[in-house]
Amino acid sequence: MTSQSLVSQLQDSLVASYRQLVRDLVKGKKADREKTEGLLVALCRTPAELESDVARERRRLELIDQANGKKTLAREIEKIHSELARLREEFTARKTEYKERVRQLNRQLRQLNDQAAVVNSAFEELLGMNPELAQRYRDVTGEIGALHVERQHVAQRITDLEVWNASKLQAFKAGQLDVEQHILDEHIEKHRKEIADGRKRLEEIEARLATLDAEAREIVKRIMDKSALGV
């Protein structure tokens, strides 16, 4: 073996050792200081060049890891595209189905409204055949409507007062309300009395509605009784 071959083999060995050193440093292993310095001298490299090679190798491995995720990402992206396409098709089908169902329901609603108009007209004509019952029926249904409106108003007032009392008490306890306690207590007590009166009124309304509803049903029953003589 010639001296040139020996030199070449030695150079290859040094290069291989240097590459292993770079790989070890990338992995976080500690290198022997003296061996490292000797290797750098033998290869005519500086510590700065070693540091640069380590950084480059570390970045290369990072890029490889990132690039290896390309196929996985492509599969995930394709999966999402397929799902989006499926949803678009499903949405189109559902949209068409929805529009058709809306058309059907609107058609049925028009038919039922037409039937209701006939029914209401027939009932009004029946009422007209008995003026006394007709007048009482209108009085009863009118009062029922007014009581429903009053019930809604009273219930809302009760809710508003309860919310006011609770919020003011909470604000006062938190020191956020600039008012003397006796004044706040007076307002709250006043509201509590109004709430109690309101609940009592609701009970009265419910009782009156029950009576009126029963009377209205009785009037309708009399008007709709085929066995009664119409003349």
Side-chain angles (χ1 to χ4, degrees), residues 74-210:
R75 286 194 298 268
E76 292 297 323
I77 291 172
E78 179 59 30
K79 182 179 178 181
I80 291 176
H81 279 306
S82 298
E83 180 68 9
L84 287 172
R86 186 189 67 80
L87 289 175
R88 280 193 292 268
E89 292 178 0
E90 182 178 335
F91 172 77
T92 300
R94 289 292 181 87
K95 186 177 180 180
T96 302
E97 179 183 349
Y98 165 80
K99 288 182 177 180
E100 179 59 28
R101 184 57 179 158
V102 168
R103 282 194 292 268
Q104 292 176 359
L105 290 175
N106 282 330
R107 184 169 58 252
Q108 293 175 14
L109 186 59
R110 286 193 296 269
Q111 294 172 351
L112 290 173
N113 284 334
D114 291 341
Q115 294 175 19
V118 174
V119 169
N120 292 334
S121 177
F123 185 72
E124 288 295 326
E125 189 172 345
L126 284 171
L127 282 176
M129 293 179 178
N130 194 326
E132 292 183 3
L133 283 179
Q135 184 57 51
R136 181 54 189 162
Y137 182 78
R138 292 189 175 93
D139 291 343
V140 168
T141 54
E143 186 178 352
I144 288 174
L147 286 173
H148 278 296
V149 172
E150 183 184 357
R151 180 175 63 182
Q152 183 178 5
H153 174 75
V154 172
Q156 184 60 53
R157 178 61 177 169
I158 289 174
T159 298
D160 292 342
L161 292 175
E162 289 177 336
V163 171
W164 191 95
N165 283 357
S167 63
K168 294 302 180 182
L169 274 175
Q170 183 177 3
F172 182 79
K173 291 178 180 179
Q176 300 171 349
L177 196 62
D178 186 18
V179 64
E180 294 183 8
Q181 184 171 356
H182 72 91
I183 295 178
L184 177 61
D185 289 342
E186 289 176 3
H187 282 290
I188 290 177
E189 186 59 32
K190 179 182 177 181
H191 289 167
R192 285 174 177 167
K193 184 179 183 306
E194 186 176 347
I195 290 171
D197 292 341
R199 286 176 176 160
K200 182 179 179 181
R201 178 54 186 160
L202 287 179
E203 292 177 357
E204 295 172 351
I205 290 173
E206 294 297 336
R208 181 58 179 164
L209 281 173

Side-chain angles (χ1 to χ4, degrees), residues 58-76:
R58 183 178 290 113
R59 179 56 179 164
R60 188 182 72 86
L61 294 176
E62 289 176 354
L63 292 173
I64 290 174
D65 289 339
Q66 292 176 5
N68 281 334
K70 182 178 181 179
K71 292 183 179 179
T72 301
L73 288 174
R75 286 194 298 268
E76 292 297 323

Side-chain angles (χ1 to χ4, degrees), residues 33-50:
R33 181 177 178 181
E34 292 184 1
K35 290 183 179 180
T36 300
E37 290 178 350
L39 186 59
L40 291 177
V41 170
L43 291 173
C44 298
R45 288 183 175 271
T46 65
E49 288 175 324
L50 173 61

